[in-house]
Amino acid sequence: MNNPTDPTFDDSAWQSTWWERRLPRTQARDGDHRSPFQRDKARVLHSAAFRRLQAKTQVLGVGLSDFYRTRLTHSLEAAQIGTGITAQLQGKYPKLTDFVSLDPYLIETLCLAHDIGHPPFGHGGEIALHYMMHEHGGFEGNGQTFRIVARLEPYTAEHGMNLSRRSVLGLVKYPNFIDSLTNTAIVPTEKVGNRQVKAEQWHPPKGLFRCDQTLFEWLLDPLPPAERDQFMQYDTSDGRHHKTRFKSFDCSVMELADDIAYGIHDLEDAIVMGMVKRNEFAEELENELVNLEVAWLSDAICGLGERLFSQQQYERKNAIGALVNCFITAIQIDENRLFDHPLLRYQAVLPERHSAALSLFKRFVYRKVIRKPEVQLLEYKGQQVVMELFEAFSSDPTRLLPENTRQRYQLAAEQGNGQRVIADYIAGMTDEFAARLYSNMFVPKRGGVLDTLSL
């Protein structure tokens, strides 16, 4: 592989392979001069899976307020942060980012699409589907994202959105399969009723579905076999599921944008909704950030705290913007010499202290928002809805599934994979659609023919 510090380097030898799609383009459109990544962004934006994010839970349940973020607004904010990171890295590392062809449209595409596989009701829905699917390959939101872009979204007949290979690689945060990453020692062996399912026992391993192995093999085909095997390595653990070690360069940029949006922007929701008090922020976050001695942030955090909790909305917005800027401008590119291929060799990372600071923000949001009993109650409620729907559809699929889904189920069932189609169907629902369908199916005096037809 060429050295990007060499002024004579030629990157054309590997770039075109990563622009390829599983289904080659057969119809050229006059005057269409877009790059592959501009086309990929358009396919994501115009997909049904992306539109459904407007009615899927981010942290707080959709419908409780018109202020806070849904999966859609979170994805838009992550995309904005991603383009900011791209501009910063292009300024700091012009030769290197030219070498890896860091593209703002590509990063925007990844940030917009990164959550489209998440089911209704947030982590409650994910827990429910993994529990119902644990004997049929499991379920995990990132694995479902891969499945949607590569197989399910009806932009093409069989190849999903048919995105370029590099875009798909950037969406794979965990490059191995759920069955390989499962720590069987921690998986409960006793069957329990749906209402006794404990969330902490059914968090899924983060990975892909084994039934999508052929798609993953196509994705990694340009890599040398040794690098392909290295890329799929994972760390084992006694008390939790195994975790993959590596991701692509583009994915590392997207993941930082996602983490910043979650840690900082979701904090704003918690403050506005009154879920976080000023004294809690000072005692549990400010003091620790001061002790971290992070450049600029440790000195500024007390003043930022005052502005975050100000009654003036513009003060809070300015503080949020300053925090986001602090993390974006700190990001740098590291080199992993285990790999030769540039898409694996280079990684966007935060310096150690900035990374620790962002982790503090994320843990604070987790403790003060996600773990609140009121939020956990909503997650549990959604978990029950999803499990009940799955149980009903799997009891008599050819009777209860919609016609197009029924046809997919019958084809998949012939190959022993019918349950995956039921998981696909439920995972694609919005919170509201799933709740109305549940009501129509199980609540007496609800769900007449006209109600059901309107779903």
Side-chain angles (χ1 to χ4, degrees):
M1 189 64 65
N2 295 323
N3 185 341
T5 60
D6 182 347
T8 64
F9 82 81
D10 175 18
D11 67 347
S12 60
W14 63 272
Q15 287 292 346
S16 60
T17 303
W18 293 94
W19 292 340
E20 291 175 354
R21 307 175 190 275
R22 290 188 74 223
L23 182 66
R25 199 174 186 209
T26 56
Q27 291 182 333
R29 294 172 180 168
D30 292 342
D32 186 354
H33 303 297
R34 294 175 298 169
S35 72
F37 305 131
Q38 286 175 301
R39 293 192 182 98
D40 287 349
K41 177 186 171 183
R43 294 180 186 190
V44 171
L45 277 174
H46 294 293
S47 68
F50 180 73
R51 289 196 303 275
R52 291 190 188 106
L53 295 177
Q54 67 186 307
K56 287 193 177 186
T57 293
Q58 168 62 10
V59 172
L60 302 168
V62 172
L64 293 179
S65 167
D66 61 0
F67 171 82
Y68 52 73
R69 290 158 173 86
T70 64
R71 290 271 181 194
L72 179 65
T73 56
H74 163 77
S75 298
L76 293 171
E77 285 173 335
Q80 180 63 28
I81 293 170
T83 56
I85 295 172
T86 302
Q88 283 289 326
L89 294 180
Q90 287 173 331
K92 287 181 181 178
Y93 306 92
K95 288 186 178 180
L96 181 54
T97 51
D98 280 349
F99 178 57
V100 295
S101 295
L102 180 60
D103 187 290
Y105 289 107
L106 168 62
I107 300 303
E108 201 172 2
T109 298
L110 303 183
C111 292
L112 291 171
H114 79 280
D115 265 356
I116 60 175
H118 285 275
F121 307 113
H123 291 294
E126 186 177 54
I127 294 292
L129 283 176
H130 181 58
Y131 175 73
M132 302 305 289
M133 287 291 294
H134 74 275
E135 295 179 348
H136 307 281
F139 180 89
E140 197 270 331
N142 296 283
Q144 190 70 11
T145 294
F146 177 76
R147 187 167 170 79
I148 288 170
V149 300
R151 189 187 295 276
L152 298 180
E153 183 67 31
Y155 185 87
T156 62
E158 298 178 350
H159 302 299
M161 295 183 194
N162 196 36
L163 302 182
S164 62
R165 182 185 262 116
R166 183 165 175 179
S167 290
V168 178
L169 181 68
L171 287 168
V172 177
K173 294 170 69 172
Y174 309 104
N176 209 311
F177 300 98
I178 284 179
D179 56 357
S180 298
L181 299 169
T182 298
N183 182 351
T184 56
I186 66 170
V187 177
T189 56
E190 291 186 14
K191 182 75 174 177
V192 297
N194 289 353
R195 294 190 179 183
Q196 278 72 51
V197 172
K198 290 181 169 59
E200 68 268 14
Q201 296 178 335
W202 290 102
H203 286 290
K206 294 183 180 296
L208 307 175
F209 309 141
R210 182 63 69 176
C211 60
D212 294 325
Q213 183 170 346
T214 56
L215 305 178
F216 189 59
E217 289 173 350
W218 168 83
L219 176 64
L220 299 190
D221 186 59
L223 298 175
E227 297 218 340
R228 200 179 310 156
D229 293 341
Q230 179 75 28
F231 185 53
M232 294 177 65
Q233 284 190 0
Y234 55 85
D235 294 320
T236 60
S237 174
D238 290 336
R240 38 193 359 184
H241 292 302
H242 312 316
K243 187 175 181 180
T244 56
R245 299 176 59 193
F246 305 110
K247 57 181 66 67
S248 71
F249 172 65
D250 305 317
C251 186
S252 71
V253 177
M254 176 268 283
E255 193 164 40
L256 283 172
D258 183 25
D259 285 348
I260 293 170
Y262 169 71
I264 306 303
H265 283 300
D266 287 0
L267 172 65
E268 182 182 9
D269 282 357
I271 292 171
V272 173
M273 297 294 291
M275 303 180 81
V276 174
K277 306 303 180 186
R278 177 70 182 93
N279 65 312
E280 294 175 322
F281 184 86
E283 293 169 5
E284 300 181 38
L285 196 56
E286 280 183 12
N287 293 338
E288 292 196 58
L289 288 170
V290 169
N291 293 334
L292 270 179
E293 297 183 356
V294 184
W296 182 82
L297 180 58
S298 293
D299 291 334
I301 189 59
C302 293
L304 290 171
E306 291 298 326
R307 291 157 61 190
L308 284 171
F309 288 86
S310 170
Q311 296 301 308
Q312 303 298 324
Q313 185 174 349
Y314 68 87
E315 292 277 16
R316 186 178 65 250
K317 286 293 183 186
N318 286 338
I320 291 291
L323 286 169
V324 170
N325 181 72
C326 169
F327 289 109
I328 288 178
T329 54
I331 292 171
Q332 57 196 32
I333 295 178
D334 278 0
E335 192 172 359
N336 185 343
R337 296 183 180 275
L338 290 173
F339 297 100
D340 287 330
H341 197 287
L343 290 184
L344 306 184
R345 187 178 184 94
Y346 301 103
Q347 295 283 291
V349 299
L350 279 167
E352 185 176 350
R353 292 186 182 183
H354 284 81
S355 180
L358 185 56
S359 294
L360 285 176
F361 277 100
K362 289 167 61 181
R363 288 200 298 270
F364 185 74
V365 171
Y366 180 77
R367 290 196 311 270
K368 295 299 177 183
V369 181
I370 294 176
R371 293 305 303 174
K372 268 193 178 297
E374 300 89 336
V375 175
Q376 286 301 304
L377 187 64
L378 289 174
E379 277 200 8
Y380 177 81
K381 183 179 178 180
Q383 180 179 314
Q384 298 306 309
V385 169
V386 169
M387 287 192 292
E388 292 284 349
L389 290 176
F390 194 102
E391 193 168 55
F393 286 121
S394 62
S395 71
D396 199 349
T398 57
R399 176 188 180 193
L400 297 175
L401 288 171
E403 186 170 350
N404 59 340
T405 307
R406 184 191 315 149
Q407 293 171 357
R408 284 186 54 235
Y409 172 84
Q410 290 171 325
L411 289 173
E414 293 174 2
Q415 303 170 359
N417 203 31
Q419 301 296 91
R420 179 62 60 190
V421 174
I422 298 174
D424 291 339
Y425 176 54
I426 296 175
M429 296 178 184
T430 64
D431 295 21
E432 176 62 23
F433 183 95
R436 283 193 290 121
L437 181 57
Y438 176 92
S439 179
N440 284 351
M441 291 181 75
F442 301 117
V443 177
K445 298 185 179 180
R446 291 291 301 274
V449 173
L450 292 179
D451 291 331
T452 304
L453 288 174
S454 69
L455 286 171

